[in-house]
């Protein structure tokens, strides 16, 4: 089993045509087989190989955002087995902006299913070390591409409905997608019949519990926890939205490793650029 770097998070990779390898990915992650995997391809010309009836929007978005942190949900072609898509007729496609990984996929000549290389429900890895810490000997090789530059998972946009819909917030925001398409894009909070594990209320969670607090009461919240004998700490993220995204998972992992039991976090301002970090922090804080 191998793990590959991407600009978002590290992925645990399997040839989509190799059923045993794909099943092993689900098993290692502890992820239910009904939760579909993202399929990574070499470039936009692969859309027609792995999708059918792709709308013109797919090509527009690919031209604008690929390689990059955007995943598109399209109707799948026969080249995508159902064990990859959780038995759904759709496929999630992405071209990563990571030179080595893209070269590996291109030279391989096929498509690579790669969910984040962490155990199900936990914080995604943004370095080779994170992958090793999480998955240990379950992964044979890790291609070390250094720290992931984006740091949170790709934006997922569903192009199979009447209106393009964002299923998971990422570095590419709703306004950017809408302006590239010249039409509105909606944010689907409750995925209808589509299963997206990243949209489960509790996900992306460190071992420590995460307590959300507004900026003004965070210090009081922290003091209260410490008084109660809880090993608590404040999560401080950079103000710049891109830097905050890059630091988020590594910071949560560091605080976990330092042995804290509670992490007091403040959501960054409710702007488009902060959507992904707000989303991940909210899910990390959800009841488990
Ligand atoms: O940034 C990323 O997207 C990373 C890197 C490795 O590329 N990958 C990633 O994969 O986050 P994973 O498997 O952890 O998350 C994939 C998400 C899941 O929430 C899954 O349910 C959703 O994509 N997904 C996959 N296929 C889908 C489909 N056909 N329809 C709707 N959602 C789908
Ligand atoms: Mg994941």
């Amino acid at each position: 089993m191998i793990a590959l770097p991407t600009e978002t998070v590290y992925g645990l990779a399997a040839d989509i045509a190799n059923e045993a390898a794909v099943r092993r990915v689900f098993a290692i992650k502890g992820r239910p087989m009904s939760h579909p995997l993202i399929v990574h391809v070499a470039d936009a010309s692969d859309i027609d190989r792995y999708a059918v009836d792709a709308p013109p929007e797919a090509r527009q978005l690919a031209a604008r955002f690929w390689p990059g942190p955007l995943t598109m949900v399209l109707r799948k072609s026969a080249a995508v087995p159902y064990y990859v898509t959780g038995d759904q007729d759709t496929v999630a496609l992405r071209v990563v902006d990571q030179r080595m990984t893209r070269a590996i996929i291109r030279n391989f000549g096929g498509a690579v299913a790669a969910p984040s290389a962490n155990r199900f429900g936990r914080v995604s890895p943004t370095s080779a070390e994170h992958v090793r810490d999480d998955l240990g000997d379950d992964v044979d090789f890790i291609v070390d591409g250094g720290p992931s530059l984006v740091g949170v998972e790709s934006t997922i946009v569903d192009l199979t409905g009447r209106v393009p819909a964002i299923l998971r917030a990422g570095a590419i925001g709703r306004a950017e997608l809408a302006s590239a398409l010249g039409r509105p894009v909606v944010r689907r909070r409750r995925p209808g019949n589509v299963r997206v594990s990243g949209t489960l209320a509790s996900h992306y969670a460190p071992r420590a519990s995460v307590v959300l607090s507004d900026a003004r009461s965070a210090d009081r919240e922290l003091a209260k926890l410490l008084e109660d004998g809880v090993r608590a700490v404040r999560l401080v993220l950079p103000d710049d939205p891109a830097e905050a995204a890059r630091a988020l998972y590594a910071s949560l992992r560091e605080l976990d490793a330092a042995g804290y039991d509670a992490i007091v976090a403040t959501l960054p301002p409710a702007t488009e650029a902060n959507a992904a970090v707000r989303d991940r922090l909210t899910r990390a804080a959800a009841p488990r």
Side-chain angles (χ1 to χ4, degrees), residues 6 8-11 29 31 35-38 40 71 73 88 90-92 94 96 114-116 152-154 156 167-168 194-198:
T6 87
T8 58
V9 301
Y10 277 64
K29 281 191 61 94
R31 173 152 155 173
H35 289 249
L37 303 176
I38 292 180
H40 299 72
T71 297
V73 175
Q88 303 180 81
T90 55
V91 62
R94 175 161 116 83
V96 303
S116 51
V152 291
E153 298 83 353
S154 59
I156 302 180
L167 304 184
R168 180 176 72 185
V194 188
R195 289 174 292 265
V196 180
S197 38

Side-chain angles (χ1 to χ4, degrees), residues 147-169:
S148 298
L149 292 177
V150 172
V152 291
E153 298 83 353
S154 59
T155 304
I156 302 180
V157 61
D158 182 359
L159 296 178
T160 66
R162 265 186 313 108
V163 184
I166 293 178
L167 304 184
R168 180 176 72 185

Side-chain angles (χ1 to χ4, degrees), residues 38-264:
I38 292 180
V39 172
H40 299 72
V41 297
D43 55 71
S45 63
D46 288 320
I47 290 176
D48 290 321
R49 197 167 152 199
Y50 299 104
V52 290
D53 305 329
E57 280 91 344
R59 266 159 271 277
Q60 280 173 275
L61 293 182
R64 173 77 181 74
F65 298 108
W66 279 359
L70 180 72
T71 297
M72 294 191 251
V73 175
L74 298 165
R75 289 174 46 77
K76 78 170 197 68
S77 78
V80 182
Y82 281 105
Y83 55 75
V84 173
T85 68
D87 255 338
Q88 303 180 81
D89 291 317
T90 55
V91 62
L93 292 181
R94 175 161 116 83
V95 174
V96 303
D97 188 10
Q98 212 291 344
R99 209 169 33 86
M100 279 193 289
T101 294
R102 211 174 156 205
I104 289 168
I105 295 170
R106 185 178 289 121
N107 285 307
F108 163 59
V112 170
S116 51
N118 56 284
R119 310 270 182 212
F120 189 64
R122 314 301 300 188
V123 173
S124 298
T126 54
S127 73
E129 201 187 347
H130 293 164
V131 177
R132 186 61 77 195
D133 286 349
D134 248 39
L135 301 184
D137 292 340
D138 282 347
V139 53
D140 302 303
F141 294 103
I142 305 171
V143 177
D144 191 344
S148 298
L149 292 177
V150 172
V152 291
E153 298 83 353
S154 59
T155 304
I156 302 180
V157 61
D158 182 359
L159 296 178
T160 66
R162 265 186 313 108
V163 184
I166 293 178
L167 304 184
R168 180 176 72 185
I172 296 170
R174 188 155 75 107
E176 267 181 288
L177 292 171
S179 98
L181 292 175
R183 59 181 292 205
V185 172
V186 300
R187 178 95 216 256
R188 196 183 305 151
R189 284 179 196 285
R190 246 164 242 305
N193 50 0
V194 188
R195 289 174 292 265
V196 180
S197 38
T199 64
L200 296 175
S202 169
H203 210 72
Y204 311 112
R207 190 189 40 75
S209 58
V210 176
V211 180
L212 290 184
S213 165
D214 59 66
R216 271 175 305 117
S217 29
D219 282 331
R220 225 174 318 130
E221 191 73 51
L222 178 66
K224 215 164 40 177
L225 286 164
L226 292 172
E227 247 167 62
D228 292 346
V230 179
R231 292 205 57 192
V233 66
R234 256 191 96 169
L235 171 70
V236 180
L237 291 174
D239 288 335
D240 177 75
E243 279 175 32
R246 196 176 304 148
L248 177 66
Y249 290 148
S251 304
L252 291 174
R253 279 174 182 270
E254 261 169 45
L255 298 178
D256 255 354
Y260 290 104
D261 294 319
I263 297 171
V264 178

